[in-house]
Amino acid sequence: MDMSMRHTLLGLFLLASLFSGNAQVKYLFETPTAILRPTRYQLPIGGSVTLSCSVEGSGNWTILWYSAASFGSKEEPMTEYEGKKAIIVSQRGLYSCRGRSDSGRHTYNSDKAIIKDTLKLQPVLTVSPSWLSPGASVTLSCEIEYPSEGWSFYWYKAIPDLDIKEEAYKYELLPDGSETAQTLYIITGQTHTAAYVCRAQRGRNYYYTYYSKPKFVWSADLYSAASLTVGPVEQRLSFDFVRLTCKGNSTWWRVRKFPENSVPYCSNVWNLGESVCTLYTKASYSDDGVYWCESMSKQFSNAVNITLQDFYSGPLMVIPDDPVKKGTFVSLSCNLRIKKNFPSVAFYHNNKLIQNDSREELNFLAVSKSDEGSYKCQYSGKESPSRYMSVKSAVGPESSSFPVRMKVMNAVAFILVMMLSMNQ
């Protein structure tokens, strides 16, 4: 067999081997690719993920690992993991691998594994009871939106912060409130209004959650060091209002409210001496809630649960002061003097209901004598004082005959003047 024939047979053998999937021959001509799993993963809180790398086919491959902080950043070799087919990572980033043969040949790099952190969580603190009773203990409960295994908890008391516009409170660790395994913390002997927060930590990398939002336990008891008093209702034409006043041993005070939605203006400033907060029945926001006072010297006053409806003295019936003319358009109205929360306003004529819907006006296209009488309106269970509407005739009998008499007298005078001039 000559040399050309041998080369031909060898070529056919190699082609047959390639088509038959013979890996040993295949990798003589092709560069394999490393395979990395998983390619996407979101790290659990304080947890980790196992990445595995393999190379298809036979052969001894030493696995090399690489990492980068983000797309576009430099990829760095992870030399400490060289030769490991699986590694455990607990940091976010981009990871890849490739194989190296004993002869120094390398595979293609694997696809990048994208490892992301779970978003930082905020625990939810609940307080029971929310209103203190004599001798009762207070139970704090801290919950995480994630399986509870491996968490430890921190418990704090919230203290009024001087820079209220930046942060309303700073936090002081409670006694034995560090790294507790229990999700509950019990406080005994609490007699005054107070605020608390919690935080959680998990994992070998000491992942910390955000602080919870402050939760309050309120006391209605007055004491001399700090007190909140509610003044009498004061009435104006368009609204009612009530004043809340803080007093006590401190020099600086502020009024606070829960819930914090649309807090009144006086909750976000410190006031020297007495702090006064005025609540109006007619406002664009809701002032209903629990109110208390806080001082720069870390004192909390008694708390008061306020529903402004309780201070609402009722609507006013608006009627023209002067008598209205018969046959003319007349509009009466009900001045609610409070933010409108209920759909219906009722109007009464001589104590008889004549309109009950969302309108705050009572209109007469052509008022008549029968419309004369006493009117009142009702809103949110409160009635206005009654007011009387008088109706007068548009044109009286005396006034209607006066122009006729004038015309007759003018005509008689004209005739007399003409007769005198003719006789001359």
Side-chain angles (χ1 to χ4, degrees):
M1 183 181 295
D2 59 15
M3 187 63 66
S4 61
M5 180 63 71
R6 290 181 179 179
H7 287 166
T8 302
L9 291 174
L10 178 61
L12 291 173
F13 171 74
L14 291 176
L15 286 173
S17 299
L18 288 174
F19 283 108
S20 65
N22 189 312
Q24 289 182 329
V25 176
K26 179 178 180 180
Y27 288 131
L28 289 173
F29 300 95
E30 291 186 8
T31 301
T33 300
I35 299 172
L36 177 62
R37 292 187 176 90
T39 56
R40 287 181 178 271
Y41 191 78
Q42 188 160 336
L43 287 171
I45 301 299
S48 59
V49 60
T50 299
L51 302 179
S52 62
C53 185
S54 61
V55 179
E56 288 184 341
S58 61
N60 294 322
W61 297 98
T62 299
I63 302 299
L64 307 176
W65 294 90
Y66 303 87
S67 68
S70 60
F71 287 105
S73 60
K74 184 179 179 181
E75 195 173 53
E76 300 288 347
M78 302 172 71
T79 55
E80 68 274 24
Y81 296 126
E82 183 175 320
K84 294 181 180 291
K85 294 184 178 181
I87 63 173
I88 298 174
V89 297
S90 57
Q91 300 291 334
R92 61 172 296 175
L94 305 174
Y95 295 87
S96 63
C97 66
R98 66 173 177 167
R100 184 186 64 203
S101 69
D102 294 338
S103 62
R105 182 174 169 228
H106 289 85
T107 67
Y108 289 120
N109 280 18
S110 69
D111 292 333
K112 287 181 171 56
I114 304 172
I115 308 301
K116 295 182 177 181
D117 283 332
T118 297
L119 295 177
K120 198 169 184 179
L121 298 177
Q122 185 173 37
V124 177
L125 178 67
T126 56
V127 177
S128 179
S130 56
W131 287 89
L132 285 172
S133 56
S137 60
V138 178
T139 300
L140 310 182
S141 175
C142 196
E143 297 180 1
I144 305 289
E145 191 182 355
Y146 194 81
S148 58
E149 293 81 4
W151 289 102
S152 57
F153 297 88
Y154 295 77
W155 308 90
Y156 303 86
K157 190 172 186 177
I159 304 299
D161 197 346
L162 299 183
D163 192 359
I164 187 174
K165 292 184 179 179
E166 292 296 325
E167 189 68 39
Y169 301 97
K170 56 186 179 181
Y171 308 128
E172 292 183 356
L173 198 65
L174 288 167
D176 299 321
S178 177
E179 294 190 64
T180 67
Q182 294 77 23
T183 60
L184 301 178
Y185 186 95
I186 298 176
I187 301 170
T188 58
Q190 183 67 39
T191 57
H192 303 314
T193 297
Y196 301 97
V197 298
C198 71
R199 189 175 62 152
Q201 172 252 311
R202 183 175 187 263
R204 61 183 148 204
N205 294 317
Y206 298 103
Y207 173 92
Y208 289 96
T209 65
Y210 290 110
Y211 289 97
S212 69
K213 291 183 179 180
K215 283 300 177 72
F216 295 85
V217 54
W218 293 296
S219 170
D221 294 338
L222 288 167
Y223 65 108
S224 59
S227 64
L228 173 67
T229 57
V230 182
V233 178
E234 300 185 43
Q235 297 181 349
R236 294 291 184 271
L237 178 63
S238 298
F239 54 84
D240 297 329
F241 66 92
V242 64
R243 299 183 196 275
L244 310 182
T245 305
C246 293
K247 296 180 182 178
N249 297 340
S250 181
T251 305
W252 293 89
W253 292 93
R254 70 188 183 201
V255 181
R256 298 292 288 170
K257 170 183 176 283
F258 177 84
E260 292 183 340
N261 57 312
S262 304
V263 294
Y265 68 92
C266 46
S267 288
N268 290 327
V269 294
W270 289 104
N271 291 278
L272 181 62
E274 292 185 354
S275 177
V276 179
C277 183
T278 304
L279 308 182
Y280 299 91
T281 57
K282 191 171 186 178
S284 59
Y285 48 79
S286 173
D287 275 340
D288 292 350
V290 179
Y291 289 80
W292 67 95
C293 301
E294 298 171 357
S295 73
M296 280 190 180
S297 55
K298 305 180 182 180
Q299 294 166 320
F300 290 80
S301 76
N302 58 298
V304 180
N305 194 0
I306 290 179
T307 303
L308 283 181
Q309 181 67 26
D310 298 337
F311 298 95
Y312 177 46
S313 61
L316 292 177
M317 189 70 207
V318 181
I319 285 180
D321 293 327
D322 297 327
V324 296
K325 291 183 180 181
K326 180 181 176 181
T328 60
F329 173 81
V330 175
S331 181
L332 313 183
S333 64
C334 188
N335 183 355
L336 303 183
R337 303 172 64 253
I338 193 173
K339 181 183 176 183
K340 190 172 183 179
N341 295 316
F342 303 97
S344 61
V345 179
F347 287 89
Y348 294 84
H349 177 217
N350 294 332
N351 292 320
K352 182 181 179 181
L353 180 65
I354 57 173
Q355 180 176 295
N356 187 13
D357 54 32
S358 61
R359 291 174 294 173
E360 298 172 37
E361 298 84 22
L362 179 63
N363 296 322
F364 301 89
L365 296 179
V367 70
S368 64
K369 193 67 176 175
S370 62
D371 297 321
E372 191 172 68
S374 177
Y375 287 85
K376 65 182 178 181
C377 62
Q378 185 183 71
Y379 178 72
S380 188
K382 301 287 181 74
E383 281 190 357
S384 71
S386 296
R387 295 201 60 192
Y388 195 86
M389 182 178 73
S390 297
V391 180
K392 66 177 182 179
S393 299
V395 180
E398 183 177 354
S399 61
S400 62
S401 62
F402 179 74
V404 177
R405 291 200 302 268
M406 285 297 298
K407 291 179 181 179
V408 171
M409 292 176 63
N410 288 338
V412 171
F414 176 77
I415 293 172
L416 288 173
V417 171
M418 291 297 294
M419 291 178 63
L420 289 172
S421 62
M422 290 176 63
N423 291 333
Q424 288 180 356

